[in-house]
Each structure stands twice: as C-alpha cells, then as structure tokens.
Amino acid sequence: MIILLLSVLCYQVTSLQNKLTSSILHHELIDYSLSSVRESHHRHRRDLSAPINLSFTAFNTLFNIQLQKNKEVFTEDIVLSSTQGDIDYDFTALVKGKVNGDVESLAHGHIEDGLFQGVVHYGNESYHIEPSIKYLSQPQSHSLIYKESDVVIEPVSSTCGVKNSEGKDSPFYNIFGKHPHPHSHFEQAKGRSKRSTNSNKPYTYCTLYMGADNKFYKQHSSGYTPSIVSKLGTYVEEVNKIFGSTDFPGYGYNIKFLIKRIHVYDTADNEFDRKDYAVARFLDLFSTTGNGLVPHDYCIAYMFTHRDFEDGVLGLAWVASSGRDSGGLCTRCREYDTGKSRCLNTGIVTTKNVNEVPPMQSYLTFGHELGHNFGSPHDPASCSPGNLNGGNYLMYPHANTGNDRNNKQLSSCSREIMGPIISIRGGACFVNEPNVCGNMIKDDGEQCDCGDSTTCSMNTTVNGVEVEECCNKECGFKESHYKCSKMDGLCCDLTKCQPYDTEVNASANLL
C-alpha cells in the first residue's frame, strides 16, 4: 500500500483584541516623506541604477535604506492573473536592498505610492514596517515599525498529525516520541549568530504557483489586486533567506524559490470561497485537478487564505519521500483510490487564527510547510533544544517565536532527511539559474548588461528616443569591436565604447 503523508502545522496564538498591545509589545511610529520616496521610485523606474532612498530614525537607530527592484523572486515568464483578467503589475514595486551600507543587512518589501511595507534585517534584530492605519484608527504617522523580538506568540498544546492515503490520522508522537510542551513565554535570544551561504555551491530553483483566495484578497489587498502580488513576493524573499543559505547533505546546490504564476481570486464566485471548509478538505480541494490549475506544471503549488481553521491550524502540506508516488516537490498529478486525479505537490497557508497573525508567523508557517514538501517531518525531541539552547528549529511542530536563532533554520535532523530526497526528486522539476540578463550586472556569458528595455534607453537620443550607446537589452555589445558600456562606469569611454587607456584620462573626462 502506498503511504501518502500529509503534515499539519498547528499553532495557537493569543487572542488579539488590541493588536498593538496584546501581540506587539512595543512599536514606534515613523513618518518619512512619501513624496520623496515616490519621486525616488519614479526615477528608479526610468533608470534601475538609481536606487530608491528611504531614511528614518527608530529605536534610537538611523535607518538609511537603499532599495532596488527585486529581480530574484519571479521567473522571466511569470503569469499574473485574477478572476477578472490579467494583473497589470509594476515589477519595480517589489524591492530589496541594504541598510546603512551594511553588506550583511537585508531590507525587502514593496512600495505603493511612496509607502514602503516590508522587513528589515539589520544587526542582530529584524524589524517589520507596516501601515499604521492597519492597527490605529487615527494614526499620527503613516507607518509603524516594531521588532520581531517584541512580537508575542504564546502557543498552547495542540495535536499535529499525518494522514495516509486512506485519510486515517496518525499522531506524530507515535512516530517520533511525544514532543515536550513548548514554553508559554520566550525571551529574546542573546548573541544571535548569522548564517552564511555555502558559496561554493550554485543555486538551483524550485518554481512556485501561488494562489490567493478571496478571503486573503479582501484581508490584504485594500481592493488593489497588484498588492497581493507584492505580498506573496515578500513571502518568497523570506523563505529564500532560509533555504538559500542551507546546505543539504549530498546535494550539490543551494536552493531558492521563484514564482512562476500567481492567481488571485478577487471575486468571491469560485469554488474555494463558497464554503467554510475544514483544513484537510480545503487542501484536498486545492490538490484536486479540475479547478483550472495543473500543479505538476510547477515544482510546488500553494494556496493562501485568511480563514480560521480548526485547532489553530495555520498550514497544511504533503510530505515528500524518496518514492515516486509520494507527495511533495515535483509530484505529478495522478489518480488515487478516490477515483479523482490529485496533485500532491501542494500546500496551504492561512493568515488567520481568531484574528490576523503577525506577518513573521505567516512567513515561518510558509517555510515550515515547504520543509514538509521537501521531505522533512517534524523535528524529534533530539533536534528540539528548546529556547534555552538557541530555540527550536523551523520544523518544530508547535509555534516558534521567530526570535531565537534556530527558529529560522532547518535542524540537522531535517537536513539529513531532506538532502537525499531532494537529490532523488529535484531533478524532475528544478530549473537551473534563470537568465539574469537585465539585472545591470555582467554575469557569466554576458558582454554587458544595461538592464531592461527601459533602462537600456537612457543615454543618447536617436530619432527622439534615448538609447544606450554600447549595450543592447540582450546583454551584448551593439558592435563587435565594442569593449565596454556605461555599466563599467568611469573606466569606459562612452563615445567609443572602449576602456580608457589610463586612470588619468578617465579622471580628465570626468572634469
């Protein structure tokens, strides 16, 4: 008998009657110039080499953030659709960059009409920036910022289980031994360490389908469908931070995710929003073909919702194994004993448990469920050190605070199981590093890179249109004898597309 494992992540969090007092211990208001960011963003649309500047002071720290278009989340052939048609999306809205010039920092999120929403990882802390109107009825500033260490997550005991192909439950503790009850209070981790990417390994990519039902749309879009695209892009950037720096034993690549398609149900007339489904039924509905989605066109497919599932469940996903017929990554659709064709490379995430859960918790839920798709069960007691020893890892079956250094890492137990499964299964659907022509960086195989069709038109006017003198948008020189372009900066004589002979000539040309 083929055993298909279905994993569930169970969280319960404190009721959030007052979101800023019961779930966020401390926040500060920030009020940078929206018009300045709007103008900076407009310049960036015309010239991707011009960063978007954002500056403010919070928690006695000056944040000077330089942002650019995030080109590491979407495939080049991404499809964006909704129930009302194609989504007209400004791809410069999704941004990432550095803080105060710190190469170890990461700021990412999205900009709409000058307003930045996202995450800032800087120093030994992570910060979330959100519109203040989301929490305050009459805010004095347009945005607020809070530390992840000030977010309260108080889990209570809940049973997580697996389901076999017959739909029977099997509690996880029957497999690994009963997990210790998590603490109800968590302290901020001291001396948090940074994770380094194994730079000797190239990246390979798992492509994603990401759906958003109407409940998710109504909660998170403010009626503007493109904002859902940005929000899901932020989810992927956060999980890439985890998976992209993880060394999977026996596998010769680091792994990142790329979104290949997003579909937003921006009207309620669809099968996902007609009923209040139980969590397992909701995933089964999403996994069953006939809803217009063919999940095996993607490495993994996810549906995001905002509904309060039973028992505090925030996520549900099929667990991969080395067998071809198991669920998880790269599984092709097939008929099982139900007589229906189901696709088990799927998962779901909800952002609601009584009220909206903090964004950090949703990011961790998504990463946790992807861990199951990649073959990891929940961590056993031997890989659950508790908050006094760096905290529990990502695949712990109950809620993590997100503040302890292990919370955003995969344990050795997870990695040892995932490595061989990825090696066996990943070749069926992983893609090589995507064509990065257009990122204004000269990558291997490129002669030059002036960006996209817009930024390659910004120097010399020909028939009323500005064009880049030396480089074309296909990342090659316009003439065979050209040697450099504007991207080479002061080293290049743009009148000849040749390097200057000496630094003196370059300096003289500048003057």
Side-chain angles (χ1 to χ4, degrees):
M1 180 179 69
I2 298 172
I3 299 296
L4 300 173
L5 294 183
L6 177 68
S7 176
V8 58
L9 174 63
C10 298
Y11 282 116
Q12 289 192 347
V13 297
T14 307
S15 177
L16 308 180
Q17 294 180 351
N18 184 325
K19 297 179 182 180
L20 280 175
T21 58
S22 62
S23 69
I24 301 172
L25 296 178
H26 179 67
H27 74 282
E28 293 188 10
L29 295 173
I30 54 177
D31 200 18
Y32 54 83
S33 170
L34 295 179
S35 60
S36 295
V37 176
R38 195 181 299 119
E39 292 172 6
S40 183
H41 191 194
H42 178 70
R43 287 193 299 270
H44 186 68
R45 290 190 186 98
R46 299 186 66 249
D47 180 1
L48 292 185
S49 65
I52 304 166
N53 297 304
L54 176 64
S55 182
F56 58 87
T57 298
F59 299 104
N60 297 316
T61 301
L62 175 63
F63 292 83
N64 282 318
I65 304 175
Q66 287 197 327
L67 300 164
Q68 292 182 315
K69 174 183 175 182
N70 190 339
K71 295 189 175 184
E72 300 177 294
V73 167
F74 305 116
T75 64
E76 289 189 337
D77 58 348
I78 185 171
V79 176
L80 303 176
S81 60
S82 74
T83 49
Q84 300 190 70
D86 294 338
I87 300 174
D88 184 14
Y89 183 67
D90 173 11
F91 283 94
T92 68
L94 194 70
V95 293
K96 67 185 298 185
K98 301 298 181 183
V99 184
N100 296 336
D102 182 359
V103 296
E104 297 291 335
S105 66
L106 171 64
H108 73 92
H110 57 100
I111 295 175
E112 292 176 7
D113 197 26
L115 187 70
F116 173 78
Q117 303 178 53
V119 187
V120 176
H121 302 284
Y122 180 60
N124 288 328
E125 185 59 82
S126 295
Y127 305 84
H128 290 261
I129 300 174
E130 299 189 69
S132 54
I133 193 66
K134 179 177 178 180
Y135 298 99
L136 305 172
S137 58
Q138 294 181 323
Q140 296 178 345
S141 301
H142 56 67
S143 299
L144 60 83
I145 183 172
Y146 56 88
K147 301 177 182 179
E148 282 193 358
S149 56
D150 285 331
V151 177
V152 177
I153 304 293
E154 293 189 359
V156 299
S157 180
S158 57
T159 301
C160 295
V162 296
K163 292 182 182 292
N164 62 27
S165 59
E166 297 174 347
K168 296 179 180 179
D169 295 330
S170 300
F172 259 111
Y173 59 75
N174 287 346
I175 302 173
F176 290 123
K178 201 163 187 176
H179 293 288
H181 190 288
H183 295 283
S184 60
H185 174 72
F186 299 87
E187 296 181 356
Q188 179 178 351
K190 306 297 191 297
R192 159 183 332 192
S193 63
K194 294 181 181 294
R195 302 174 62 203
S196 60
T197 302
N198 186 340
S199 58
N200 294 324
K201 291 185 176 182
Y203 285 113
T204 189
Y205 295 84
C206 171
T207 58
L208 299 175
Y209 169 96
M210 301 181 79
D213 74 357
N214 191 248
K215 290 180 174 60
F216 189 89
Y217 167 79
K218 288 193 293 186
Q219 179 68 21
H220 299 291
S221 71
S222 298
Y224 184 61
T225 303
S227 65
I228 298 297
V229 176
S230 294
K231 188 171 185 67
L232 295 181
T234 302
Y235 274 73
V236 171
E237 183 65 42
E238 277 294 294
V239 297
N240 277 344
K241 192 171 184 292
I242 298 173
F243 282 78
S245 58
T246 298
D247 183 16
F248 296 101
Y251 190 65
Y253 297 86
N254 289 111
I255 297 170
K256 284 189 175 183
F257 299 92
L258 290 171
I259 305 174
K260 188 175 182 180
R261 182 179 178 185
I262 289 177
H263 185 75
V264 181
Y265 292 87
D266 49 5
T267 64
D269 185 19
N270 66 84
E271 59 186 326
F272 299 109
D273 289 285
R274 289 181 188 136
K275 296 180 181 179
D276 290 326
Y277 298 104
V279 62
R281 177 69 185 101
F282 189 71
L283 176 61
D284 186 61
L285 180 66
F286 177 58
S287 303
T288 303
T289 57
N291 55 23
L293 166 68
V294 184
H296 71 221
D297 289 342
Y298 313 89
C299 172
I300 294 174
Y302 263 79
M303 177 64 78
F304 288 77
T305 185
H306 186 76
R307 61 185 74 205
D308 195 7
F309 289 123
E310 67 273 18
D311 299 323
V313 174
L314 291 184
L316 194 64
W318 294 98
V319 185
S321 73
S322 57
R324 293 182 178 180
D325 294 320
S326 71
L329 75 160
C330 303
T331 303
R332 297 191 67 80
C333 306
R334 53 161 290 187
E335 287 190 7
Y336 292 89
D337 53 6
T338 60
K340 295 181 180 179
S341 180
R342 290 195 295 171
C343 313
L344 306 184
N345 60 331
T346 52
I348 60 172
V349 170
T350 182
T351 57
K352 185 177 183 180
N353 184 8
V354 181
N355 292 283
E356 182 179 341
V357 301
M360 170 192 65
Q361 201 61 54
S362 295
Y363 303 147
L364 290 178
T365 300
F366 185 35
H368 180 107
E369 298 306 326
L370 286 170
H372 288 314
N373 291 139
F374 273 61
S376 177
H378 286 152
D379 279 335
S382 60
C383 277
S384 302
N387 66 308
L388 297 179
N389 295 290
N392 292 313
Y393 291 91
L394 181 67
M395 301 311 295
Y396 188 69
H398 300 288
N400 283 321
T401 65
N403 303 320
D404 295 329
R405 68 172 181 267
N406 294 337
N407 294 168
K408 297 178 183 178
Q409 300 184 34
L410 290 160
S411 70
S412 59
C413 294
S414 294
R415 291 185 283 107
E416 290 292 338
I417 294 173
M418 295 166 75
I421 293 173
I422 294 169
S423 297
I424 294 171
R425 302 280 297 279
C429 71
F430 283 178
V431 297
N432 293 327
E433 187 167 354
N435 181 3
V436 289
C437 175
N439 64 358
M440 303 190 76
I441 299 172
K442 187 167 67 176
D443 299 294
D444 291 342
E446 297 178 349
Q447 294 178 319
C448 55
D449 191 327
C450 57
D452 56 22
S453 58
T454 300
T455 57
C456 284
S457 305
M458 57 187 181
N459 294 324
T460 303
T461 301
V462 177
N463 295 328
V465 178
E466 291 185 346
V467 296
E468 216 274 2
E469 297 98 324
C470 313
C471 192
N472 60 39
K473 64 180 181 181
E474 284 76 36
C475 296
F477 290 129
K478 291 181 178 179
E479 300 289 344
S480 59
H481 64 280
Y482 288 172
K483 300 297 182 184
C484 61
S485 74
K486 182 180 179 180
M487 60 165 289
D488 294 298
L490 303 182
C491 299
C492 187
D493 180 353
L494 296 181
T495 64
K496 301 177 181 178
C497 300
Q498 300 286 336
Y500 281 104
D501 293 333
T502 66
E503 293 183 3
V504 175
N505 287 338
S507 299
N509 186 70
L510 244 192
L511 297 175

